[in-house]
Amino acid sequence: MNRVESGPALRYAVVIPTIGRSSLQTCVDALAAAAGPPPRQVVVVDDRRTPASGLPLATPDALRGLLAVVTSGGAGGRGPAAARNAGWRAVSPEIPWIVFLDDDVEVGADWGALLAGDLAVGPEVGGVQGTVTVPLPAGRRPTDWERNVSALAGARWITADMAYRRDALTETAGFDERFTRAYREDADLALRVRDAGWKLVRGTRRTRHPVRQADRWISVRLQKGNADDVLMARLHGRDWYERADASRGRRTGQAAITASAALGLLALVAGRRRWAALAAAGWLVGTARFAVARIRPGPRTASEIATMLATSVAIPPAATLHRVRGWWRHRGAGSWPGRPAAVLFDRDGTLIVDVPYNGDREQVAMMPGAGEALRLLHAAGIPAAVITNQSGVARGLLTAQQVGEVNSRVEELLGPFAAWAVCTHGPADGCRCRKPAPGLVRAAAEAIGVTPQACVVIGDIGSDVAAARAAGSRSVLVPTPETLVGELAGARVATDLVAAVRWVLGTEGVRS
Ligand SMILES: [Mg+2]
């Protein structure tokens, strides 16, 4: 029994990025059993290097016909970021919300009903986080590993249970696939969705994340995440920790411990015994303090203490090495997904001053910054095209020839352009090209020989943004006094054309 089902239909899909662990069945069963509106689609991604055919789980009755398995493309094995991208892109385009669940969670009994409330948000909200709980053993202190997993409960925007608007994923090109493990790829996406103009909020639905079994070296292997921290700092600046509400960890201490060890060894090789002893003492004190800090809150069993001592020796050098590795690997990393293959401009109100139904080439005047914006793109070798609604033709207010004359004047002032896509239909014609439909974006992309996903649309009103999203393109809105305030919600907004193009080129942030 729930009241939400009788309300406006909630359309959401669930994407689970991994296959092959037994927890997936539990996850899917909990989803099927949850009260409330069911998902319209459940996409499980087979990210293994050698994907198996078929569904390796029993489909619960409630999800029959809704479950699909996709592969993450290419060789697979590219990690949860690439897998989640493959998953949400496989969801039907008319479904506006994508809920990411990890394969090792169990949604609560009233999850669907609470999700319906969570997603009843304004257009300014691009993502709604679920509340993750980590059950810890009763009657004893949690181990280091259990404490590590329990930190998920307080983590912001983690994709163990995170709903994103499809438009937010389209505008950010989804997860940055350079994050190849389940670490920081969620914080990175959250920061980019916020940079693109959306709010992220916490919801009320609850999901359990049990602690899975792990061997004693798990804490050392997790140090690989240090390379991702380096990438985060490159992409978002050194203050990303504060903005993503993430913990900084103990990295300065670890670098000092590692440096002491390295100095000690060097001194030993050089025969400087006194220096070697001094450095060894520094290493010992640092390592002992680190081990004590990890042993103190845990169960003081022989096994846990042995694990903490051994891993406390291994973690500082592992963490430092992974930081250095990350620094080298990501030294030239730019913003995701990189520069577009083409930029598609709206014409009236964007490239030229909007004179309604203008058929007179003499009345064509450039918008401020239009010349500079196109020069910047040309210098970067990125083709530009124009996508424009000219319903004046259908309305009998101007001829196709007049539209052509105005266009050729635009080309004289700002061109040449790689393609022109013009819709001469009226709003009542039901065509597929008139913006906000995606037809013009698709036609221009095809004429240039690129995919819509590789394009950025720059326009001055909401229908430009909507056409871009419907085609799978990113977009930037450059408002004019005619732009409605409501059109700015959830849009990436630039103050002028030059700022928009600088964002496209990755040389400037965009005010949001
Ligand atoms: Mg316009």
Side-chain angles (χ1 to χ4, degrees), residues 136-137 140-148 150 250 289-301 304-305 308:
L136 289 175
R140 69 161 168 82
R141 297 172 177 201
T143 63
D144 179 66
W145 167 237
E146 288 162 346
R147 294 196 306 275
N148 184 309
S150 75
R250 300 182 170 101
R289 285 176 59 174
F290 180 43
V292 166
R294 296 172 71 220
I295 290 167
R296 195 179 282 150
R300 313 237 172 100
T301 61
E304 175 76 358
I305 290 172
M308 290 304 98

Side-chain angles (χ1 to χ4, degrees), residues 35 38 98 104 132 142 176 189 206-207 233 278 280-281 308 360 366 379 391:
I98 319 283
D104 52 357
V132 173
D176 184 335
L189 177 62
R206 291 186 160 269
T207 292
L278 210 61
M308 290 304 98
D360 178 3
M366 290 188 288
S391 65

Side-chain angles (χ1 to χ4, degrees), residues 346 348-350 460-461 464:
D346 166 56
D348 301 330
T350 301
D460 67 318
I461 58 171
D464 297 315

Side-chain angles (χ1 to χ4, degrees), residues 341-344 382-387 417-420 441-451 455:
V343 176
L344 317 180
I382 297 176
V386 183
I387 51 171
F417 290 95
W420 282 82
V441 177
R442 289 187 184 139
E446 194 182 339
I448 302 170
V450 300
T451 63
C455 293

Side-chain angles (χ1 to χ4, degrees), residues 24 31 43 63 73 91-92 96 107 120 135 160 179-180 207 264-265 279 299 304 346 351 356 409 431 434 488 503:
L24 178 61
L31 185 61
V43 177
L63 298 180
V91 170
S92 305
V107 300
F179 292 93
T180 53
T207 292
L265 288 173
E304 175 76 358
D346 166 56
L351 289 178
R409 179 62 182 152
C431 67
R434 183 178 160 80
L488 303 180
W503 174 78

Side-chain angles (χ1 to χ4, degrees), residues 346-352 354 387-389 435 458-461 463-464 480:
D346 166 56
R347 195 192 80 178
D348 301 330
T350 301
L351 289 178
I352 61 171
D354 188 11
I387 51 171
T388 178
N389 286 354
K435 293 176 283 185
I458 299 180
D460 67 318
I461 58 171
S463 68
D464 297 315
T480 68

Side-chain angles (χ1 to χ4, degrees), residues 356-376:
Y357 310 119
N358 177 33
D360 178 3
R361 55 179 279 127
E362 299 308 318
Q363 290 197 57
V364 173
M366 290 188 288
M367 288 293 283
E372 174 66 5
L374 284 150
R375 264 192 300 278
L376 287 170

